[in-house]
Amino acid sequence: MSESPRVNTVVINGTPVSALEDETVLDVAREHDIFIPTLCHLDGLSEAGSCRLCLVEVKGYSRPLPACVTRVAEGMEVNTESEALAEYRRTILEMLFVEGNHICAVCVANGHCELQRLAIKLGLDHLTMPYRYSRRPLDASHERFLVDRNRCVLCTRCVRVCDEVEGMHNWDVMGRGIRAGVVSDLDMPWGTTDYCTKCGKCVQVCPTGALIEKGRSVGEMVKRREPVLHVAETR
Amino acid sequence: MNDLALLERLCNVVRRTSLCGLGQSAPNPILSTLRYFRDEYVAHIESKTCQAHVCPTENTENTENAASAMQEVAV
């Protein structure tokens, strides 16, 4: 008989809730309909903890912790909303917006974009930082898909889904800092790689219009995440 | 002058929210200089002068002053 996981009591925003010991703060918050913004998290994939939008305050820690990779502990006191957190989240979003090319009006993912949705939800209605007008390479060599790195927010969902669900690991992140970007098969044109199975999972999980199906016009790129979650769950 | 506030805000956010130790400590020099030498930042913005006479972008009049000051020191 396997031991059942211990149940911990944690306090989220002043309300005591019970949580299994292997759950993350984000899992518990979602179960209790407490909103925490996320970008790199996707059900069915491993956690990256890199987008820094799910930061929450935990009593006893001087700096905010990412909810998606923080496991609950007995007596933990979590605060998901504060003025400082809202400021951090907005600034991080703003940096993502000015770093790439996120002009919603001409984007295929307009209306179906998680970055856009978060900006609306977090009240980011204008930018105070100067645009960088990035000109990162675009790869249209694939017969069905296209990658526009200017719209990429480096959430690494495509990297993880290709590695963990499809099992091919075609995608990876290359470069550092402002020069970082996703690359196919050690920076070869996507259409020439031997690893891509053309399954399109990377396209479906991409939160923005960075990975898209060819032939879609403005606002037409609707992403379907459920099949990926289904495959991951039925493993 | 808005840029100073933006700089400070950016530094604080990066310092507090970064995943890696480099990000957590990289803004510290800027925050320290903003705290102890804010008047020099302001002088650069408002009167386009460099109190330490080390900026190449400084206008020529001040550069000449700096050059003569340097000579005086050298003598």
Side-chain angles (χ1 to χ4, degrees), chain B residues 38-52:
Chain B
R38 180 174 284 269
D39 53 324
E40 292 197 27
Y41 280 85
V42 174
H44 276 86
I45 296 167
E46 287 190 336
S47 53
K48 304 270 183 282
T49 55
C50 176
Q51 292 177 8

Side-chain angles (χ1 to χ4, degrees), chain A residues 49-50 52 55 62-64 87-88 91-92 94-95 128-130, chain B residues 3 6 9-10 12-20 22 24-25:
Chain A
S50 60
R52 319 308 285 170
L55 291 168
S62 59
R63 65 175 84 239
E87 162 101 0
Y88 296 154
T91 309
I92 290 165
E94 200 176 335
M95 286 194 273
T128 53
M129 301 172 197
Chain B
D3 290 342
L6 176 64
R9 181 174 134 224
L10 206 55
N12 274 320
V13 171
V14 171
R15 193 169 66 104
R16 296 275 294 165
T17 63
S18 275
L19 176 75
C20 81
L22 187 62
Q24 289 167 14
S25 55

Side-chain angles (χ1 to χ4, degrees), chain A:
Chain A
M1 199 183 101
S2 63
E3 249 180 83
S4 57
R6 245 163 42 119
V7 177
N8 290 325
T9 303
V10 293
V11 181
I12 301 186
N13 296 345
T15 318
V17 294
S18 45
L20 299 177
E21 65 177 342
D22 57 349
E23 281 185 308
T24 63
V25 174
L26 182 67
D27 293 332
V28 183
R30 291 259 163 102
E31 273 167 34
H32 293 87
D33 291 328
I34 297 165
F35 171 75
I36 297 178
T38 54
L39 202 54
C40 65
H41 167 88
L42 188 72
D43 290 331
L45 300 184
S46 66
E47 303 292 356
S50 60
C51 76
R52 319 308 285 170
L53 284 169
C54 67
L55 291 168
V56 292
E57 288 169 349
V58 178
K59 200 174 178 186
Y61 290 88
S62 59
R63 65 175 84 239
L65 301 178
C68 65
V69 290
T70 306
R71 307 247 169 237
V72 291
E74 179 62 39
M76 199 181 219
E77 284 181 43
V78 182
N79 194 12
T80 66
E81 294 295 331
S82 79
E83 225 165 82
L85 286 177
E87 162 101 0
Y88 296 154
R89 288 167 183 166
R90 263 205 306 273
T91 309
I92 290 165
L93 258 191
E94 200 176 335
M95 286 194 273
L96 288 176
F97 267 94
V98 297
E99 190 181 343
N101 175 0
H102 299 288
I103 313 298
C104 300
V106 292
C107 180
V108 285
N110 187 10
H112 316 290
C113 172
E114 286 184 39
L115 187 70
Q116 186 184 33
R117 215 171 300 151
L118 275 176
I120 296 167
K121 186 121 191 174
L122 298 184
L124 186 75
D125 47 13
H126 68 285
L127 301 174
T128 53
M129 301 172 197
Y131 275 109
R132 292 198 76 255
Y133 300 110
S134 69
R135 304 211 41 173
R136 300 179 197 142
L138 186 146
D139 185 352
S141 60
H142 197 280
E143 58 182 282
R144 288 181 58 202
F145 311 121
L146 184 152
V147 55
D148 182 354
R149 295 184 178 83
N150 294 302
R151 297 189 192 132
C152 177
V153 291
L154 292 169
C155 66
T156 70
R157 278 185 189 181
C158 51
V159 177
R160 285 174 285 150
V161 81
C162 195
D163 177 32
E164 296 163 13
V165 181
E166 183 63 7
M168 294 313 283
H169 205 129
N170 177 56
W171 291 109
D172 231 319
V173 178
M174 191 176 90
R176 302 178 66 175
I178 205 75
R179 280 183 216 84
V182 288
V183 291
S184 163
D185 187 19
L186 299 178
D187 205 15
M188 296 295 283
W190 194 2
T192 66
T193 171
D194 294 332
Y195 298 105
C196 181
T197 59
K198 307 180 179 69
C199 71
K201 288 190 183 71
C202 49
V203 174
Q204 301 303 335
V205 299
C206 177
T208 67
L211 284 162
I212 54 171
E213 289 167 5
K214 281 186 175 174
R216 302 294 179 118
S217 184
V218 173
E220 286 182 0
M221 186 64 236
V222 184
K223 310 260 173 134
R224 292 175 297 123
R225 309 258 150 71
E226 293 76 20
V228 175
L229 178 61
H230 180 72
V231 171
E233 272 182 349
T234 49
R235 279 281 160 86

Side-chain angles (χ1 to χ4, degrees), chain B:
Chain B
M1 289 300 281
N2 291 342
D3 290 342
L4 274 191
L6 176 64
L7 186 63
E8 207 160 9
R9 181 174 134 224
L10 206 55
C11 285
N12 274 320
V13 171
V14 171
R15 193 169 66 104
R16 296 275 294 165
T17 63
S18 275
L19 176 75
C20 81
L22 187 62
Q24 289 167 14
S25 55
N28 283 343
I30 299 174
L31 284 170
S32 306
T33 49
L34 269 175
R35 189 182 311 142
Y36 295 112
F37 303 100
R38 180 174 284 269
D39 53 324
E40 292 197 27
Y41 280 85
V42 174
H44 276 86
I45 296 167
E46 287 190 336
S47 53
K48 304 270 183 282
T49 55
C50 176
Q51 292 177 8
H53 305 297
V54 290
C55 282
T57 51
E58 208 180 8
N59 63 43
T60 45
E61 192 191 325
N62 287 318
T63 320
E64 279 163 20
N65 289 347
S68 61
M70 292 274 271
Q71 277 171 356
E72 278 171 35
V73 171
V75 170

